[in-house]
Coordinates of all heavy atoms in Angstrom, one line a residue:
L2 N -25.0 11.0 42.5 CA -24.8 9.6 42.4 C -25.5 8.9 41.2 O -24.9 8.1 40.5 CB -25.1 8.9 43.7 CG -24.7 7.4 43.8 CD1 -23.2 7.2 43.7 CD2 -25.2 6.8 45.1
P3 N -26.8 9.3 41.0 CA -27.5 8.8 39.8 C -26.8 9.2 38.5 O -26.8 8.4 37.5 CB -28.9 9.3 39.9 CG -29.1 9.7 41.3 CD -27.7 10.1 41.8
V4 N -26.3 10.4 38.4 CA -25.6 10.8 37.2 C -24.3 10.0 37.0 O -24.0 9.6 35.8 CB -25.3 12.3 37.3 CG1 -24.4 12.8 36.1 CG2 -26.5 13.2 37.4
V5 N -23.5 9.7 38.0 CA -22.3 8.9 37.9 C -22.7 7.5 37.5 O -22.1 6.9 36.6 CB -21.5 8.9 39.2 CG1 -20.4 7.9 39.1 CG2 -21.0 10.3 39.5
F6 N -23.8 7.0 38.1 CA -24.2 5.6 37.8 C -24.7 5.5 36.3 O -24.4 4.6 35.6 CB -25.3 5.2 38.7 CG -25.9 3.8 38.5 CD1 -25.1 2.7 38.7 CD2 -27.1 3.7 37.9 CE1 -25.6 1.4 38.5 CE2 -27.6 2.4 37.7 CZ -26.9 1.3 37.9
L7 N -25.4 6.5 35.9 CA -25.9 6.6 34.5 C -24.8 6.7 33.5 O -24.7 6.1 32.5 CB -26.9 7.8 34.3 CG -27.7 7.8 33.0 CD1 -28.5 6.6 32.9 CD2 -28.6 9.0 33.0
G8 N -23.8 7.5 33.9 CA -22.6 7.6 33.0 C -21.8 6.3 32.9 O -21.4 5.9 31.8
I9 N -21.7 5.6 34.0 CA -21.0 4.3 34.0 C -21.8 3.3 33.1 O -21.2 2.5 32.3 CB -20.7 3.8 35.4 CG1 -19.7 4.6 36.1 CG2 -20.3 2.3 35.4 CD1 -19.5 4.3 37.6
C10 N -23.1 3.3 33.3 CA -24.0 2.4 32.5 C -23.9 2.7 31.0 O -23.8 1.8 30.2 CB -25.4 2.5 33.0 SG -25.7 1.7 34.6
G11 N -23.8 4.0 30.7 CA -23.7 4.4 29.3 C -22.4 4.0 28.7 O -22.3 3.6 27.6
Y12 N -21.3 4.1 29.5 CA -20.0 3.7 29.1 C -19.9 2.2 28.7 O -19.5 1.8 27.7 CB -19.0 4.0 30.2 CG -17.6 3.5 29.9 CD1 -16.7 4.2 29.1 CD2 -17.1 2.3 30.5 CE1 -15.4 3.7 28.8 CE2 -15.8 1.9 30.3 CZ -15.0 2.5 29.4 OH -13.8 2.1 29.2
F13 N -20.5 1.4 29.7 CA -20.5 -0.1 29.4 C -21.4 -0.4 28.3 O -21.1 -1.3 27.5 CB -20.9 -0.8 30.7 CG -19.7 -0.9 31.7 CD1 -19.8 -0.3 32.9 CD2 -18.6 -1.6 31.3 CE1 -18.8 -0.3 33.8 CE2 -17.5 -1.6 32.2 CZ -17.6 -1.0 33.5
A14 N -22.5 0.3 28.1 CA -23.5 0.0 27.0 C -22.8 0.3 25.7 O -22.9 -0.4 24.7 CB -24.7 0.8 27.2
H15 N -22.1 1.4 25.7 CA -21.4 1.8 24.4 C -20.4 0.8 24.0 O -20.3 0.4 22.8 CB -20.7 3.2 24.6 CG -19.8 3.6 23.5 ND1 -20.3 3.9 22.2 CD2 -18.5 3.6 23.4 CE1 -19.2 4.1 21.4 NE2 -18.1 4.0 22.2
H16 N -19.6 0.3 24.9 CA -18.6 -0.7 24.6 C -19.1 -2.1 24.4 O -18.5 -2.9 23.6 CB -17.5 -0.7 25.7 CG -16.6 0.5 25.7 ND1 -15.6 0.6 24.7 CD2 -16.5 1.6 26.4 CE1 -15.0 1.7 24.9 NE2 -15.5 2.4 25.9
A17 N -20.3 -2.3 24.9 CA -21.0 -3.6 24.7 C -21.5 -3.7 23.2 O -21.5 -4.8 22.6 CB -22.1 -3.9 25.6
I18 N -21.8 -2.5 22.7 CA -22.3 -2.5 21.3 C -21.2 -2.3 20.3 O -21.0 -3.0 19.3 CB -23.4 -1.4 21.1 CG1 -24.6 -1.8 22.0 CG2 -23.8 -1.2 19.7 CD1 -25.7 -0.8 22.1
G19 N -20.4 -1.2 20.5 CA -19.4 -0.8 19.5 C -18.0 -1.1 19.9 O -17.1 -0.8 19.1
G20 N -17.7 -1.8 20.9 CA -16.3 -2.1 21.3 C -15.7 -3.2 20.5 O -16.3 -3.7 19.6
S21 N -14.4 -3.5 20.8 CA -13.7 -4.5 20.0 C -14.3 -5.9 20.2 O -14.0 -6.8 19.4 CB -12.2 -4.5 20.4 OG -12.1 -4.9 21.8
R22 N -15.1 -6.1 21.3 CA -15.7 -7.4 21.5 C -17.2 -7.3 21.6 O -17.9 -8.2 22.1 CB -15.2 -8.1 22.8 CG -13.7 -8.4 22.7 CD -13.2 -9.0 23.9 NE -11.8 -9.1 23.9 CZ -11.1 -10.2 24.2 NH1 -11.8 -11.2 24.6 NH2 -9.8 -10.2 24.1
G23 N -17.8 -6.2 21.1 CA -19.2 -5.9 21.1 C -20.0 -6.6 20.0 O -19.4 -7.5 19.3
T24 N -21.2 -6.3 19.9 CA -22.1 -7.0 18.9 C -21.7 -6.6 17.5 O -21.9 -7.4 16.6 CB -23.6 -6.6 19.2 OG1 -23.7 -5.2 19.2 CG2 -24.0 -7.1 20.6
E25 N -21.3 -5.4 17.3 CA -20.9 -5.0 15.9 C -19.6 -5.8 15.5 O -19.5 -6.3 14.3 CB -20.6 -3.5 15.8 CG -21.9 -2.7 16.0 CD -21.6 -1.2 16.0 OE1 -20.4 -0.8 15.9 OE2 -22.6 -0.4 16.1
A26 N -18.7 -6.0 16.4 CA -17.5 -6.7 16.1 C -17.8 -8.2 15.9 O -17.3 -8.9 15.0 CB -16.5 -6.6 17.2
R27 N -18.8 -8.7 16.6 CA -19.3 -10.1 16.5 C -19.8 -10.3 15.1 O -19.6 -11.3 14.4 CB -20.3 -10.4 17.5 CG -20.8 -11.9 17.5 CD -21.7 -12.1 18.6 NE -22.1 -13.5 18.6 CZ -23.2 -14.0 18.0 NH1 -23.9 -13.2 17.2 NH2 -23.5 -15.3 18.0
E28 N -20.7 -9.4 14.6 CA -21.2 -9.5 13.3 C -20.1 -9.5 12.2 O -20.2 -10.2 11.2 CB -22.2 -8.4 13.0 CG -23.5 -8.4 13.9 CD -24.3 -9.7 13.7 OE1 -24.4 -10.2 12.6 OE2 -24.8 -10.3 14.7
A29 N -19.1 -8.7 12.4 CA -18.0 -8.6 11.4 C -17.3 -9.9 11.4 O -16.9 -10.5 10.4 CB -17.1 -7.5 11.8
R30 N -17.0 -10.5 12.6 CA -16.4 -11.8 12.7 C -17.2 -12.9 12.1 O -16.6 -13.8 11.4 CB -16.0 -12.2 14.2 CG -14.7 -11.6 14.6 CD -14.3 -12.0 16.0 NE -14.8 -10.9 16.9 CZ -15.6 -11.1 17.9 NH1 -16.1 -12.2 18.2 NH2 -16.0 -10.0 18.6
L31 N -18.5 -12.9 12.3 CA -19.3 -13.9 11.6 C -19.3 -13.8 10.1 O -19.3 -14.8 9.4 CB -20.8 -13.8 12.2 CG -21.0 -14.2 13.6 CD1 -22.4 -13.9 14.0 CD2 -20.6 -15.6 13.8
A32 N -19.3 -12.6 9.6 CA -19.1 -12.4 8.1 C -17.8 -12.9 7.6 O -17.8 -13.5 6.6 CB -19.3 -10.9 7.8
E33 N -16.7 -12.7 8.4 CA -15.4 -13.2 8.0 C -15.4 -14.7 8.0 O -14.8 -15.4 7.1 CB -14.3 -12.7 8.9 CG -14.0 -11.2 8.7 CD -13.0 -10.7 9.7 OE1 -12.4 -11.5 10.4 OE2 -12.8 -9.5 9.8
I34 N -16.1 -15.3 9.0 CA -16.1 -16.8 9.1 C -16.9 -17.3 7.9 O -16.5 -18.3 7.3 CB -16.7 -17.2 10.4 CG1 -15.8 -16.9 11.6 CG2 -17.1 -18.7 10.4 CD1 -16.4 -17.1 12.9
S35 N -18.0 -16.7 7.5 CA -18.8 -17.1 6.4 C -18.0 -17.0 5.1 O -18.0 -18.0 4.3 CB -20.1 -16.2 6.3 OG -20.8 -16.6 5.2
A36 N -17.3 -16.0 4.9 CA -16.4 -15.8 3.7 C -15.3 -16.9 3.7 O -15.0 -17.5 2.7 CB -15.8 -14.4 3.7
A37 N -14.7 -17.2 4.9 CA -13.7 -18.2 4.9 C -14.3 -19.6 4.6 O -13.6 -20.4 4.0 CB -13.0 -18.2 6.3
R38 N -15.5 -19.8 5.1 CA -16.1 -21.1 4.8 C -16.4 -21.3 3.3 O -16.3 -22.4 2.8 CB -17.4 -21.3 5.6 CG -17.1 -21.6 7.1 CD -18.3 -21.9 7.9 NE -18.0 -22.2 9.2 CZ -18.8 -22.1 10.3 NH1 -20.0 -21.6 10.1 NH2 -18.4 -22.4 11.5
T39 N -16.8 -20.2 2.7 CA -17.1 -20.2 1.3 C -15.8 -20.5 0.5 O -15.8 -21.3 -0.4 CB -17.7 -18.9 0.8 OG1 -18.9 -18.7 1.6 CG2 -18.0 -18.9 -0.7
E40 N -14.7 -19.8 0.9 CA -13.4 -20.0 0.3 C -12.9 -21.5 0.5 O -12.4 -22.1 -0.4 CB -12.4 -19.0 0.8 CG -11.1 -19.1 0.1 CD -10.1 -18.0 0.7 OE1 -10.6 -17.1 1.3 OE2 -8.9 -18.2 0.4
L41 N -13.2 -22.0 1.7 CA -12.8 -23.4 2.0 C -13.5 -24.4 1.1 O -12.9 -25.3 0.6 CB -13.0 -23.7 3.5 CG -12.8 -25.1 3.9 CD1 -11.3 -25.5 3.7 CD2 -13.3 -25.4 5.3

Side-chain angles (χ1 to χ4, degrees):
L2 190 61
V4 173
V5 171
F6 180 70
L7 191 60
I9 291 172
C10 287
Y12 173 80
F13 283 115
H15 170 70
H16 285 286
I18 294 172
S21 64
R22 296 178 187 228
T24 56
E25 292 175 358
R27 181 178 184 269
E28 294 299 323
R30 274 186 262 124
L31 289 176
E33 288 177 9
I34 289 170
S35 176
R38 285 184 178 155
T39 303
E40 186 178 342
L41 175 65

